[in-house]
Amino acid sequence: MAEVSVTKDAAPAADELVALRNVNKHFGALHVLQDIDLTIDRGEVVVVIGPSGSGKSTLCRAINRLETVESGTITIDGKPLPQEGKELARLRADVGMVFQSFNLFAHKTVLENVMLGQVKVRKAEKSAAEDKARKLLDRVGVGTQADKYPAQLSGGQQQRVAIARALAMDPKIMLFDEPTSALDPEMINEVLEVMQQLARDGMTMVVVTHEMGFARSAANRVVFMADGRIVEEATPDQFFSHPRSDRAKDFLSKILHH
Amino acid sequence: MNVLLDHLPEFREGFIGTVLLTLSSGLLAMVLGVIVAGFRVSPVPPLRFLGAAWVTLFRNTPLTLLFLIAWFVVPVIFWPGLSPWTKAILALGFYTSAFVCEAVRSGISTVPLGQAEAARSIGMTFIQTLRLIVLPQATRTVIAPLSSIFIALTKNSAIAGAFSVAELFGVQKLLSDKGFAIVPIFLFVAIAYLIITFTISGLFRLLERRMGVAR
């Protein structure tokens, strides 16, 4: 619990980085995002939790427009998300994303995975990109695997490479879409530790996860979603010890007591 | 055997003609096919429509009809004074491009969606995503169908012979018109086609073995 106070003190004064206003989306008849209002401040770590199918992954993917929304506005750093095209690509470069299934480029080595965006998108020099990639790989603890292909790595290692790949773009914010859900239990911690470190370093993060321990220790704010709505927003302490809504109480009773 | 030896220059010219025709129209079909496949998976609806229209048009038209159009319609409406060679390459290339496009598109759909999502999420444009991430991974699956397409192209190029382009099948017509025995001529022509098509399938098998993406 000591970490909680550390991260909370580190959060700077309110400074809006991402804002969702009145966002709606359907998948066919399913109203997957309903009137979503959410603001994420610079340096804040927001953990989104909720039952499966509650729309939390869709919310996360909507922030960099991997999912389009039907109504409402999403702004990043004051700029509304543009249509598909060069401008959106530029904006996405500033928004790191980590996927449940890692999605490392299968035909590239680990090192190339981390260099590619720097060279092709940021137009960095190859040598500078390689230096930076190696430093980042060391930072997430897979420096020795640089020349292997993703398929030769364990899930936990792949996910840490994916985090390094996103960090290589110097993102303003990192989105994590269930980063540990596809991992074997013994590999979850190595990924969570990297994420904890990022949170301590002041990275703005949106984390969709089922890891309640991570939510407790690293989050500034917990957002609880159910049936496409944000049901409750609170600090982790408040949320886990005194949930206000019945829906949240029900959810917590199912996952915390067994 | 005499027919072959006495007319070696004609056979040689025909053989080289077929090889060149296959190579150049194959190259045109590859370039067009990959571009049109890009259109078909692009996020821009008009491009997708254009791609679908291209494939529908060229895949469903008899090649002979395309040759007739290239010979008698294209010079009148678009460019007058095209050489028979250019017209044959255009007809064969456009026709084959529709099949290349569909093979490439089926290859693209074997690449997991997450690969393209990851590429877009680090800020790559659609074209970068296709060129750097999706197409390289699609190549392996596309090689086998492409091999069949190019063998078909080799044989389809025989139609150009009927339009007096110097190629292998035309040699057969030339010699049978002169009254030589038909069977040996056919045999030599068939063997010459076999040499080309065997080379193609061999090259593609080699490529297939070289390219592998571990998942």
Side-chain angles (χ1 to χ4, degrees), chain B residues 138-157:
Chain B
T139 312
R140 168 87 205 243
T141 27
V142 173
I143 286 173
L146 273 187
S147 161
S148 303
I149 289 171
F150 284 123
I151 288 172
L153 170 64
T154 311
K155 297 182 292 178
N156 285 339
S157 72

Side-chain angles (χ1 to χ4, degrees), chain A residues 12 55 69 77 114 139 141 180 221:
Chain A
V69 297
D77 224 353
V114 185
R139 183 169 152 196
T180 56
R221 185 152 49 113

Side-chain angles (χ1 to χ4, degrees), chain A residues 162-201:
Chain A
I163 294 173
R165 176 176 68 180
L167 288 176
M169 307 302 290
D170 296 319
K172 293 175 185 164
I173 179 170
M174 289 278 285
L175 308 175
F176 293 83
D177 183 8
E178 304 204 20
T180 56
S181 298
L183 296 176
D184 292 342
E186 75 264 34
M187 292 168 184
I188 290 176
N189 273 337
E190 61 190 48
V191 172
L192 289 182
E193 271 159 28
V194 171
M195 290 167 60
Q196 295 268 16
Q197 188 57 51
L198 267 181
R200 276 196 290 271
D201 293 346

